[in-house]
Each structure stands twice: as structure tokens, then as C-alpha cells.
Amino acid sequence: MTAVRVYVATTDGPSEIQRIADEDPDVRSVVCLNGTSEALPISGGYDAFVRKPTGVVERLFGHPVFRMDVATRISGGHSWQLPVYAAHALRAAGQLAQRGAPATRVIWLTGTVDSDLRVGPVNHVAEKLRHSQPLFRKLRAEGVPVTVFVPKACADQIPTSEAGDGDDGLAGVEVVLVETAYAVCHNLGLSRIGHGVGKGRPRSGGGNRSRAVLTALIVLAVGMIGAVHWRAEVGTWLGSQPPTENRLNGGQTVAVVGPPAVTPVALGGMSTTVPAPGPSADSSLGFRTPDASTVPTTTPGSKSSAPASVAAVAQVASLPDAGMSPEAQHSPRLAAADVQVSAVEWRAPGGRSCAVAGFGSAGPAEMAIGTVVSGRFAVSSANGLCTAGYRAVNKFTAPVRIWLFAAPIGARKHFVATSSALETHVLGPDEATTVELKLPRWINEPVSHRIIVVATAEADGSSFGWLDQGMAAFGTSFDFGRWSDLRRRIQDNGMVLVSAVHEIIPQ
Amino acid sequence: MATWNTLSDGRKAAAGQVFDALSTLDALTDFSADSQISRAVGFADLYAYATEPDRPMDERLQRALASDARLRGDLDRLLENTALYRFPRLAAASSGENDRREGDGFTIRLRQSRAEETQTYVIIEVHPGKEAPSTLFIFGAGHPYGKFPLPAAQDGVIQLLSETSSDLVKALLDVHTEVFIR
């Protein structure tokens, strides 16, 4: 007997769908936490997903109200729709593994589902996968096969093994990209979707008429399967992928799924089905870069290997085009170019020492170094240089939350010199924030400053505590290992990231 | 006659300050032993409890209400004046329990969960044209001043799920319980 356990992918880790039960039609559908009476905030959305006319579950499975229990909180969004749909389909077929029952297979899903059962894109797929790796490892050790279903539009959010940090969390996991909910059912071997799946739920109406309709549907379904196979063979013969999924997207409600609409290929040790590559998608990073060939990646060795005339490099990532939730697509779109990063320096006037600058009229003179256009700052001479400042200006049309961080790279603590500086503000259009790093009194070897600007147009700042803590944790020295983890999470969250190095050389 | 709900925000604020001042004056001039606890509890505390959905019944307020009849009277009047609707005590039924309360613009129903028999749905129906409440207060002999924040209404329906043995469900079933929603 097949028993499939369903996990809802969340950024806090996978949440098991423990149970789905019919409820009294006189109440609203509800999602509860772990069998308790705590109704989760997505309950309203679940009720709308279930109930006709907006919902799809009642239309397909014939009951208007359900109670669903999940193991851990699902806080919001709509990416739970695809796993919930799959769980209902499995339950109707009597194949949903309930809490505590053994499972012969595990599926992990994320994606929205519209009324035509098309699967829509979601955000944070890479982060959801990463937080599920302990589960994948555990299931792999137990020998339970795992299939991950991801919207086809989110293909560029799936990290490859090259982008990983040596973790084999996705090894052995089958990854399937889908455009329709039908494709999920097809993969699960649920040949029919709708009333009477598995249990043969009785329907009202005349028996003869129902049988006639059913016969017509079967004839139509057989015809479709034949046509699809014929198209597949022709496509193979022509060396091209037959557009079978588009045929299934045609709005028909016949509950028959054709052959797989996607082709499995090997990718970094995991079994993956991938669509044709999208334009400029950088799958190794999981996000898009303005021009990967001209934007070098900063590494710990960049300071020594960079030519003298190129003292600063910058790495710029913008919000990914794909993978945005429908809600996010309606929000103002922040790009890296909307955050202008510049540098200024303060020098002691008249060749005086920085120690006396600030007394009387001998204040330090401010001089602009320039902006991080194409990720480059000009080299600064350490002679007479007291303080370097880095400024971020919001050039966006709406308020932007900005984290501006600067610190010397790998520097020992020097007398007077600033260890690190961090400013976090919500800046209105054309507003700026600045951090300053005081230089050591004596500089006899090059000093490099790392400048990081992270920005988001999201108004709600309550979900960025991890970034506040991550930035503040750098403290007295810039740690590349820690930064690598933080950078990945910043990118996973689709935030704008500008990272630069400013070199100051003794002369 | 003007009621609390017909007052403007400015007049409500002014009234709040006046009550606060009077409450403070009462506390300063009342030297009875029973008022020692409630002396620190003023109208502002009562008003915050009655009007702020997330303001809990803290121990200080609880003790003050338990020991000061006048304070309880103040809170009763405040709830009555600020509530969207007050469901009075029901006429006693033979069982002493009732799973439905009908009011002007609002209905409260209790429905046992079919999926989890130890749990009960509390359903508040908000009739068209009525403002959706954010807080439910219950007031009865066994459950003085219970306060429950309500989730947002969906298509005119607010639904809570609670253990059947909870104070909320027991109080709502009790015909002697008064219910305020605001």
C-alpha cells in the first residue's frame, strides 16, 4: 500500500501535513497546529482555496469544509497551495500518510495554484530547500524516496551542487519542475483527479446519465493519451520536446494526465527535471547578475591579486525576475541601480597630522572619492588620510530599508582606527546614510575596507532580525566564512546587495 | 441622548481624561483598607482593558476588580458604553446551556468540531452593515471579565476554535453569562 507524506516547504523548515478531515459544512475550513485548537493565520486563505466558487478543492473533491493539521507553523503567503492540493488528491485516493503512520514516499512542494490548476511561482525556494536538508538527510538514511516539486518558473532558484557549500543535502532527491497541479498527480500515479478518486465517492444524479458522461470522458481521455503519445513520438522523432504541458493547460477539466511534461536530466548528483534555460538565468548562483562576465566575484584573495589600478571590486545582485510571488510583483521593484553607493575621505589640511585635525580651524577637509559605478572606487593614498566615509543614497521612488556596513578586511585592531561601522535606516527618496571608518595613525601597508550595502523595498522590517544580527556580529573584524552564509541568505531573500572593497595604500 | 459611540474621538479623549482625574481624586480621598489595591488602578487602566484588544487582564487589575465593587461597576458601565453589542443573560433553559445567541446585527453560534470532538467552533456572524468586532468579553459568575481577541472577519464571519472544556466555550454555553463584543 502506497502512503505518501506531504511536506509544505517554508523558510522556517518543512511542515508536515498530518491530517485532513471533513468538517461540518456549517463552519469554515481551518488549518490547525499539530492537533491543537490553535488555528493558523492561513486558515482564511485555506477556506478560500477550498470553498467554491473561488476554491478548487471543493470543485475537485466534493466537500466544502475541511480541517487540516500541520506539524509546524505556516505563517503566510500562498506557496502552501500546491502541497495542500497534493495532500487532498492523495487523501481522496487513500494514500495520504497521516501523522505517525509509516510512509513509503515523501513529497515536498511549494507553489501557488490558480483556479485552472496552473502552478505559479513563489519566492525563497533555495532557502526553503536549505532549511529542509536535515529532513532530506534523515529520509535518505531511512531509505525513503523524496520528490521535490517546484514551480517551473522557479527553476533558477534551485541551487546546483556547484553553488552549494559541499553539503550533499539534495543528493538522491528527485526534483520535478511543474507548471500544473495535474503534473504532480501524474507523478504520484494518481490517474484521475476529482470526485470519486480512490474512494469512489457517490454523486447525486441519474446513474445512466453519469455512466454516459463517464464513458464519454474515458473515450476523450483515451483519445488525449493517444494524441499526447503521438505528439511525444513525433517530438522525439523531430528531436524536440513536445508541448504536452501546454496541452494540459488548455483549461480542460478532464482528470486525465498525459505523459510527463518535463524531461529528467542529471544535475549535480540529483535527479532533476528542468525546462529550457531562461534568458540570462545564473543557475549556479540562484539569482541573476547584471552581467556575470564583467562583474568579478570578490574573494579573500582579491586584495592581493587585484592590479594596482583596480583597487576595488564590487559584486552586485538584483532582485530575481523569476520566483516573485504575485503579491511581490505588484510592489515597487527595487534594483541595484536604485541604491547609489559613494565614498568620501577626510584629510588633514596643509599636510598636518590627523591628530591635530579638528582642533581650532584645522578641521579635516572632505573630498569625494566617487561612486561605485561598475563596482569600482578609486585608490586612496594613506598620506594625510584621517577617515574614510561610505554613503548610500536611496535613488528609488519609494522608501527603502538599507543596511550600510563597512569594516577593514582582516585588519588587526589599530589604535584610533574604527573596527567596523553599521547603519540601518529606512531612507526616503534621495535620503542618504553614511558610515565612517577612522584610519590607523600609521599606515605602512595597504588597508582594504569592505563595504556592504543591503537594501529592500519591503516595508515590514520585522522579518529582518537575522540580517541585523548577522551584520552586527561582524564586530571587530570581517569574517569571510560568516559573510558567505549571510550573503547567501540575502540573495535567497531577493534583496539588493552591493559589496565593494576600497583600498588605501601607503605613499 | 448622546452615547459613547456617538461621541467624537476628541470628546472621548476628553471624557477619558475627566474620568481619569475623577478616579485619581477618588483614590486620594478614599482611605478605606479595601481600596488599597484599587487605588493604583484608574480609569485609564479600565479604559485600556476595555478598548485595547491585546491588553490582558493583569494581576493588579484582577485583584482590584475582585476587591472593589465600585471599580467593577465602572468597568461594567464602560463595557456597556463602548461595546458594539451586548448580549444579555439568556432566559434560563432546562439544561442551563445554550449554543446560540442572537442579537441586533450579530449572532454567536457554537458548533462542535466533527474532526476533533473535544474542540468547538465559536462562530460570530456579523450582519451586513455592522462593524466587525475585534474583542469578545464574557462576564458571568464563574468567569468574570474573560477577554478574547478575535481574528479578522472573513465574509462577515469570525471563527474561533477552542477546546470544548475551555473557559470561553463553557462561558458561552452558560445562559447566565453576559457577552460583550466591541
Side-chain angles (χ1 to χ4, degrees):
Chain A
M1 177 65 184
T2 302
V4 182
R5 178 153 291 130
V6 181
Y7 282 93
V8 180
T10 84
T11 52
D12 291 328
S15 182
E16 175 193 344
I17 295 180
Q18 299 175 322
R19 179 180 70 149
I20 296 176
D22 287 359
E23 259 299 2
D24 189 332
D26 202 27
V27 304
R28 299 295 177 99
S29 292
V30 66
V31 182
C32 291
L33 182 64
N34 205 21
T36 68
S37 60
E38 181 177 349
L40 298 183
I42 63 167
S43 293
Y46 176 54
D47 184 65
F49 186 62
V50 168
R51 192 183 293 271
K52 286 197 291 190
T54 56
V56 299
V57 174
E58 180 183 1
R59 177 157 53 92
L60 292 171
F61 304 108
H63 187 73
V65 182
F66 295 91
R67 173 201 172 111
M68 183 172 71
D69 283 283
V70 295
T72 56
R73 290 178 197 285
I74 302 167
S75 53
H78 295 94
S79 64
W80 48 264
Q81 289 176 339
L82 184 59
V84 166
Y85 167 85
H88 273 281
L90 286 164
R91 175 179 180 264
Q95 295 181 20
L96 177 66
Q98 307 240 353
R99 176 174 54 179
T104 55
R105 183 182 179 185
V106 163
I107 61 174
W108 180 107
L109 310 94
T110 185
T112 61
V113 177
D114 70 11
S115 58
D116 292 327
L117 299 183
R118 286 186 296 254
V119 174
V122 296
N123 238 332
H124 312 306
V125 173
E127 187 178 4
K128 290 171 180 174
L129 283 168
R130 193 166 56 253
H131 283 107
S132 296
Q133 286 185 0
L135 171 70
F136 296 155
R137 275 194 290 270
K138 173 177 173 286
L139 293 168
R140 193 166 51 240
E142 294 171 352
V144 179
V146 180
T147 305
V148 163
F149 292 95
V150 175
K152 187 176 179 181
C154 301
D156 62 348
Q157 295 188 57
I158 300 173
T160 64
S161 59
E162 290 82 3
D165 51 4
D167 197 320
D168 60 351
L170 280 179
V173 172
E174 182 191 24
V175 180
V176 178
L177 302 173
V178 291
E179 279 187 304
T180 68
Y182 291 123
V184 174
C185 291
H186 171 80
N187 186 284
L188 294 171
L190 304 176
S191 60
R192 291 190 295 151
I193 309 165
H195 290 291
V197 173
K199 291 179 177 176
R201 189 188 303 277
R203 297 179 66 184
S204 59
N208 290 337
R209 188 178 164 201
S210 297
R211 274 194 291 275
V213 171
L214 185 60
T215 304
L217 289 176
I218 290 171
V219 169
L220 181 58
V222 169
M224 285 181 62
I225 291 173
V228 165
H229 275 287
W230 180 80
R231 289 287 296 269
E233 287 172 8
V234 171
T236 305
W237 181 57
L238 294 174
S240 62
Q241 178 70 22
T244 53
E245 255 193 330
N246 290 337
R247 287 166 48 77
L248 291 173
N249 282 346
Q252 76 274 18
T253 54
V254 176
V256 177
V257 180
V262 285
T263 306
V265 299
L267 180 62
M270 60 183 178
S271 169
T272 311
T273 53
V274 294
S280 74
D282 183 351
S283 61
S284 66
L285 291 174
F287 63 97
R288 292 167 187 267
T289 56
D291 183 350
S293 64
T294 58
V295 182
T297 302
T298 302
T299 66
S302 64
K303 174 184 145 189
S304 58
S305 60
S309 60
V310 184
V313 293
Q315 182 179 359
V316 180
S318 62
L319 286 167
D321 290 332
M324 294 287 289
S325 66
E327 309 91 276
Q329 286 171 351
H330 294 300
S331 303
R333 179 82 178 266
L334 183 70
D338 294 320
V339 181
Q340 184 188 74
V341 182
S342 61
V344 293
E345 54 188 22
W346 286 273
R347 293 183 177 278
R352 295 176 182 168
S353 162
C354 289
V356 300
F359 290 98
S361 60
E366 178 178 329
M367 301 172 66
I369 296 175
T371 59
V372 187
V373 177
S374 299
R376 301 182 187 284
F377 283 131
V379 179
S380 291
S381 165
N383 189 23
L385 182 59
C386 306
T387 303
Y390 304 98
R391 184 169 295 158
V393 183
N394 174 18
K395 291 296 183 184
F396 195 46
T397 54
V400 169
R401 186 176 303 276
I402 286 181
W403 291 256
L404 173 59
F405 172 85
I409 296 176
R412 298 184 303 274
K413 175 67 180 158
H414 289 94
F415 179 64
V416 177
T418 309
S419 299
S420 68
L422 171 65
E423 290 287 340
T424 305
H425 296 287
V426 176
L427 300 180
D430 288 316
E431 289 185 339
T433 183
T434 304
V435 294
E436 296 177 10
L437 296 182
K438 287 185 177 177
L439 275 297
R441 283 279 182 266
W442 299 276
I443 296 179
N444 51 19
E445 60 182 11
V447 172
S448 292
H449 287 167
R450 184 63 174 261
I451 301 95
I452 296 167
V453 182
V454 184
T456 178
E458 271 193 48
D460 180 13
S462 62
S463 59
F464 295 109
W466 58 271
L467 185 54
D468 293 327
Q469 293 169 11
M471 287 293 199
F474 285 121
T476 56
S477 67
F478 190 82
D479 181 316
F480 276 97
R482 189 179 292 160
W483 168 237
S484 177
D485 293 339
L486 197 59
R487 181 176 59 188
R488 191 162 48 227
R489 190 163 180 187
I490 290 167
Q491 291 164 350
D492 288 346
N493 277 274
M495 304 170 83
V496 162
L497 169 64
V498 178
S499 173
V501 177
H502 176 210
E503 190 168 23
I504 300 156
I505 56 173
Q507 282 189 347
Chain B
M1 183 188 124
T3 65
W4 182 262
N5 287 328
T6 62
L7 296 180
S8 66
D9 289 344
R11 297 187 72 180
K12 284 179 180 175
Q17 288 176 346
V18 170
F19 277 117
D20 198 18
L22 290 172
S23 180
T24 305
L25 183 62
D26 285 347
L28 290 172
T29 55
D30 186 351
F31 296 98
S32 68
D34 288 344
S35 66
Q36 290 299 311
I37 298 169
S38 60
R39 186 170 292 156
V41 175
F43 180 83
D45 298 289
L46 296 181
Y47 185 77
Y49 176 73
T51 60
E52 295 174 13
D54 297 327
R55 178 76 167 241
M57 169 71 80
D58 60 29
E59 192 180 346
R60 185 177 63 108
L61 184 57
Q62 199 171 13
R63 280 190 286 132
L65 287 167
S67 62
D68 191 331
R70 190 166 59 180
L71 207 59
R72 289 197 298 275
D74 288 344
L75 181 55
D76 290 347
R77 281 189 292 278
L78 190 54
L79 286 175
E80 181 139 5
N81 287 328
T82 61
L84 288 171
Y85 192 74
R86 172 195 171 204
F87 294 86
R89 293 179 177 85
L90 298 170
S94 57
S95 65
E97 288 192 349
N98 195 300
D99 62 0
R100 187 180 186 95
R101 288 168 191 258
E102 300 276 1
D104 181 15
F106 303 95
T107 302
I108 299 178
R109 294 187 290 118
L110 299 178
R111 182 73 77 219
Q112 186 184 37
S113 170
R114 186 184 289 181
E116 197 70 59
E117 291 185 351
T118 61
Q119 296 172 2
T120 295
Y121 290 94
V122 177
I123 301 155
I124 302 172
E125 293 172 354
V126 184
H127 299 185
K130 290 288 183 180
E131 183 184 348
S134 61
T135 315
L136 182 144
F137 295 90
I138 51 176
F139 179 41
H143 9 261
Y145 301 115
K147 178 180 176 181
F148 302 88
L150 300 174
Q154 303 244 336
D155 299 328
V157 174
I158 296 169
Q159 180 174 286
L160 291 167
L161 182 59
S162 186
E163 296 294 331
T164 305
S165 59
S166 68
D167 287 344
L168 172 63
V169 174
K170 283 194 292 189
L172 289 174
L173 284 170
D174 187 348
V175 295
H176 301 295
T177 300
E178 269 190 297
V179 180
F180 298 88
I181 52 174
R182 83 169 304 279

